[in-house]
């Protein structure tokens, strides 16, 4: 059976206006075209929907029974079209994003705030995870977009560069570097280090080796989260290296983020997506905003 929406619209319009002429005027069709659409519908249903005479056209009993169903279908279609229009215009929809716990409550939180002010009807679902889980969260389809440092990707995930994020030494009051404008890596050779990511520590070691430095990281504390590491630093347990965007919490933890030099190291951050998956209008708009904010952060040297 091959029933079209045009046929049902013709059926409903003829019923509403009481004639093929009135229905044709409403549908911007010719009278013969409307008549043909109704005849085609009757043939497909194998039912007569109208009794026709030279002076009038009236619904048959079968037509009266089927009309409410046809009207419901047409109303459902109207709502689908209206819903699609609202989604395109960002007046409706969902934005699903994942990033690391610290980035979620700092830089990404600020971008999401701006996005929410521009598009208040979009529901935001932010999944904060450890940095190592960003790619897997994207791969499993739990979110549209992932934001994080470089991580290995499989064939079903793509990544595009977002911005550079500089690193800082995090130290408590009383530490020799606390009041300095910057500190050189060579001056940190005998520090006691707090680690919150083995992958991050290995990355730092590779970067320093590439610059001709062989700095031993004497790890005295190994924790799971950057916030815990900053709390330990405040109480004199050691120092750590952290991304610049976490510096918004420096006052909360009573520590200072000191710029590093010789060399100055920064890390690339990426946007991760499932390969071949189209973004929703909300996702595409948020990605555009991310890129603008990331470019601005790169120019200012902060993220």
């Amino acid at each position: 059976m091959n029933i079209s929406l045009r046929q049902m619209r013709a059926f409903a319009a003829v019923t509403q206006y009481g004639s093929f002429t009135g229905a044709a005027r409403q549908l911007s069709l010719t009278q013969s075209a409307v008549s043909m659409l109704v005849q085609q519908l009757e043939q497909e249903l194998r039912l007569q929907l109208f009794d026709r005479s030279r002076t009038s056209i009236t619904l048959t009993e079968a037509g009266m029974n089927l009309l409410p169903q046809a009207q419901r279908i047409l109303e459902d279609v109207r709502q689908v079209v209206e819903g699609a229009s609202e989604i395109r215009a960002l007046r409706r929809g969902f934005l699903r994003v994942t990033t690391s716990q610290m980035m979620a409550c700092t830089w990404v939180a600020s971008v999401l705030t701006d996005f929410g002010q521009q598009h208040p009807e979009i529901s935001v679902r932010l999944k904060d995870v450890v940095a190592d889980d960003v790619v897997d969260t994207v791969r499993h389809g739990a979110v549209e977009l992932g934001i994080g440092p470089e991580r290995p990707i499989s064939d079903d995930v793509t990544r595009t560069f977002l911005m550079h994020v500089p690193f800082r030494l995090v130290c408590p009051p009383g530490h020799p570097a606390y009041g300095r404008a910057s500190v050189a890596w060579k001056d940190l050779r005998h520090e006691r280090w707090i680690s919150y990511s083995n992958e991050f520590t290995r990355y730092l070691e590779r970067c320093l080796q590439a610059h001709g430095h062989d700095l031993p990281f004497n790890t005295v504390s190994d924790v799971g989260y950057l916030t815990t590491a900053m709390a330990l630093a405040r109480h004199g347990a050691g120092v750590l290296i952290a991304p610049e965007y976490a510096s918004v919490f420096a006052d909360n933890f009573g520590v200072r983020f000191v710029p590093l030099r010789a060399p100055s190291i920064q890390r690339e951050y990426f946007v991760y997506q499932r390969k071949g998956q189209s973004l929703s209008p909300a996702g595409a708009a948020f990605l555009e905003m991310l890129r603008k904010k990331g470019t601005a952060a790169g120019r200012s040297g902060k993220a």
Side-chain angles (χ1 to χ4, degrees):
M1 186 170 288
N2 185 22
I3 296 174
S4 71
L5 289 173
R6 294 182 75 236
Q7 292 167 356
M8 282 193 287
R9 287 193 183 100
F11 170 43
V14 171
T15 302
Q16 180 179 357
Y17 293 96
S19 70
F20 289 111
T21 302
R25 189 180 304 114
Q26 173 65 23
L27 298 174
S28 299
L29 297 172
T30 64
Q31 180 178 334
S32 60
V34 173
S35 179
M36 181 178 295
L37 287 169
V38 172
Q39 289 176 14
Q40 290 171 348
L41 180 60
E42 289 176 323
Q43 290 169 5
E44 288 292 336
L45 296 175
R46 290 185 292 175
L47 288 171
Q48 186 169 337
L49 301 175
F50 293 101
D51 286 323
R52 301 163 175 85
S53 70
R54 289 184 177 180
T55 58
S56 66
I57 179 169
T58 57
L59 276 170
T60 63
E61 190 70 24
M64 285 188 286
N65 275 275
L66 292 177
L67 179 61
Q69 292 171 284
Q71 290 172 330
R72 282 197 298 273
I73 291 171
L74 292 172
E75 174 59 20
D76 288 343
V77 171
R78 186 197 67 78
Q79 290 183 15
V80 168
V81 172
E82 183 178 289
S85 177
E86 290 180 346
I87 291 172
R88 288 195 306 272
L90 300 179
R91 294 193 299 269
R92 171 179 168 185
F94 295 97
L95 173 64
R96 298 175 301 125
V97 181
T98 187
T99 190
S100 64
Q101 184 266 343
M102 179 55 72
M103 193 168 224
C105 63
T106 54
W107 190 78
V108 170
S110 69
V111 180
L112 284 173
T113 298
D114 290 345
F115 183 83
Q117 290 173 348
Q118 293 186 26
H119 309 292
E121 294 85 1
I122 300 297
S123 297
V124 176
R125 297 176 179 175
L126 175 60
K127 188 175 181 64
D128 52 342
V129 297
V130 295
D132 289 342
D133 290 342
V134 169
V135 174
D136 279 341
T137 304
V138 172
R139 178 184 295 117
H140 296 149
V143 296
E144 282 191 280
L145 296 169
I147 306 160
E150 74 278 4
R151 288 294 188 273
I153 58 174
S154 57
D155 292 340
D156 53 355
V157 175
T158 64
R159 73 182 186 189
T160 53
F161 174 77
L162 177 61
M163 62 183 177
H164 285 105
V165 176
F167 293 137
R168 302 289 184 250
L169 173 72
V170 181
C171 60
H175 187 277
Y178 188 85
R180 296 184 188 177
S182 65
V183 61
W185 283 96
K186 65 180 180 62
D187 296 332
L188 304 176
R189 181 167 296 276
H190 302 295
E191 292 293 340
R192 293 159 51 87
W193 294 98
I194 303 170
S195 173
Y196 54 91
S197 168
N198 292 331
E199 189 282 332
F200 180 51
T201 301
R202 290 192 295 269
Y203 174 81
L204 286 175
E205 289 173 340
R206 292 195 302 270
C207 288
L208 291 171
Q209 288 169 4
H211 287 84
H213 290 267
D214 186 16
L215 181 68
F217 282 92
N218 176 27
T219 301
V220 294
S221 298
D222 192 352
V223 299
Y225 293 96
L226 177 52
T227 48
T228 305
M230 287 193 289
L232 287 175
R234 173 65 182 88
H235 291 285
V239 298
L240 62 136
I241 304 297
E244 168 66 30
Y245 57 75
S247 63
V248 297
F249 288 111
D251 291 342
N252 299 76
F253 287 95
V255 294
R256 182 162 180 261
F257 279 60
V258 183
L260 290 155
R261 55 181 168 82
S264 176
I265 298 177
Q266 54 188 3
R267 192 168 206 180
E268 292 181 328
Y269 274 64
F270 295 86
V271 175
Y272 295 90
Q273 297 173 244
R274 287 189 70 186
K275 190 173 183 178
Q277 184 179 50
S278 299
L279 288 178
S280 67
F286 181 66
L287 179 56
E288 181 180 1
M289 181 175 287
L290 273 180
R291 298 204 180 287
K292 290 180 179 178
K293 299 283 187 180
T295 300
R299 285 198 298 264
S300 66
K302 293 185 178 182

